[in-house]
């Protein structure tokens, strides 16, 4: 797991949309998608429920979001 992945994941959860997160982070949407998939592969669990209007965290995703926010705050 990399800090970049956590930052991407947090922004996606906060915006509820991968495209919006990509715009705010000034990165390609595909880059965020790949990093989220890598996190899901690393943890072997789905972190986001994807639907036509965006995304929302699964239970595991909510737990990771809470922990990721704490980690990123401590680093800053």
């Amino acid at each position: 797991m990399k800090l970049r992945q956590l930052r991407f994941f947090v922004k996606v959860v906060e915006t509820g949309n991968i495209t919006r997160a990509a715009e705010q982070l000034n990165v390609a949407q595909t880059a965020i998608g790949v990093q989220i998939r890598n996190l899901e592969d690393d943890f072997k669990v789905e972190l986001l429920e994807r639907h036509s209007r965006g995304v929302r965290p699964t239970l595991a995703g909510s737990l990771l979001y809470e922990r990721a926010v704490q980690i990123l705050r401590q680093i800053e």
Side-chain angles (χ1 to χ4, degrees):
M1 174 178 17
K2 299 175 184 172
L3 289 177
R4 178 179 170 175
Q5 291 173 317
L6 290 181
R7 285 187 182 103
F8 287 0
F9 180 74
V10 166
K11 185 59 76 173
V12 168
V13 171
E14 289 176 350
T15 61
N17 187 291
I18 292 174
T19 302
R20 250 181 275 143
E23 290 169 357
Q24 291 181 16
L25 293 168
N26 293 316
V27 297
Q29 178 182 347
T30 54
I32 290 184
V34 166
Q35 294 304 315
I36 299 294
R37 290 269 184 221
N38 288 342
L39 276 175
E40 291 177 326
D41 290 345
D42 289 347
F43 291 120
K44 297 181 181 18
V45 67
E46 192 173 322
L47 298 171
L48 297 173
E49 292 178 9
R50 293 153 176 87
H51 49 81
S52 60
R53 292 170 287 157
V55 298
R56 71 172 171 233
T58 61
L59 179 58
S62 293
L63 294 172
L64 177 61
Y65 172 78
E66 291 173 17
R67 186 63 56 99
V69 169
Q70 292 172 357
I71 291 168
L72 294 172
R73 280 188 190 146
Q74 289 175 342
I75 289 171
E76 292 175 6

